[in-house]
Amino acid sequence: MEMPVSISSAVRRRLIEDAAMTPDAEICGLLFGTAASIESVLGCRNVAPDPATGFEIDPAALLAAHRAARQGGPAIIGHYHSHPRGSAIPSARDAAAAHGDAMLWLVIAADDLRLWRAAIGGSHLGAFEPVPLRGGAACANGPASP
């Protein structure tokens, strides 16, 4: 079982507010921290061909974050995106984009945040494992019950 990852109430609130401000398109960005904690986030431009139904983090922002991490900046531990009309569970499109690289995927839907780890053969769509998310009131853990 995955160890819980913490998130502060301030970071959680910021993500929910950012997603609410863009109800017709997916927002996206990078997660920074450690194996045990999401310490900060960086919102990035969604450059997907159809941001209403998908996301692609601006490559320039991604490269700059990797460069900064190599120079002693914060470690990239994953990324986030919203599902404006869906649930906080990775979609088939998300699974197709996952590479099994063990990076964290935080999915936002309304006021629900759920954390996942990309994993080849994962229990969700063969691409993800749920990761318990703790901290920040009303955070959800794992997939919803049927």
Side-chain angles (χ1 to χ4, degrees):
M1 176 177 206
E2 290 270 354
M3 295 299 295
V5 174
S6 66
I7 186 170
S8 73
S9 295
V11 170
R12 179 186 183 280
R13 187 173 40 257
R14 175 184 166 193
L15 292 171
I16 289 169
E17 289 171 357
D18 287 354
M21 290 174 47
T22 312
D24 296 323
E26 293 190 17
I27 65 164
C28 60
L30 300 172
L31 304 172
F32 300 94
T34 67
S37 177
I38 298 168
E39 297 171 356
S40 63
V41 297
L42 173 66
C44 299
R45 192 166 58 100
N46 182 350
V47 297
D50 185 2
T53 61
F55 81 98
E56 181 180 338
I57 293 173
D58 181 355
L62 186 57
L63 288 171
H66 279 292
R67 189 173 298 117
R70 283 193 306 275
Q71 296 173 351
I76 301 168
I77 59 171
H79 62 271
Y80 69 87
H81 72 284
S82 64
H83 286 172
R85 290 176 221 48
S87 65
I89 297 172
S91 66
R93 178 175 293 183
D94 295 337
H99 302 291
D101 56 11
M103 294 298 280
L104 293 173
W105 288 55
L106 183 68
V107 184
I108 309 155
D111 64 352
D112 190 12
L113 301 181
R114 297 194 190 199
L115 191 60
W116 305 83
R117 185 172 309 281
I120 294 172
S123 63
H124 181 69
L125 299 174
F128 298 100
E129 287 296 334
V131 177
L133 186 61
R134 71 168 185 242
C139 286
N141 294 327
S145 300

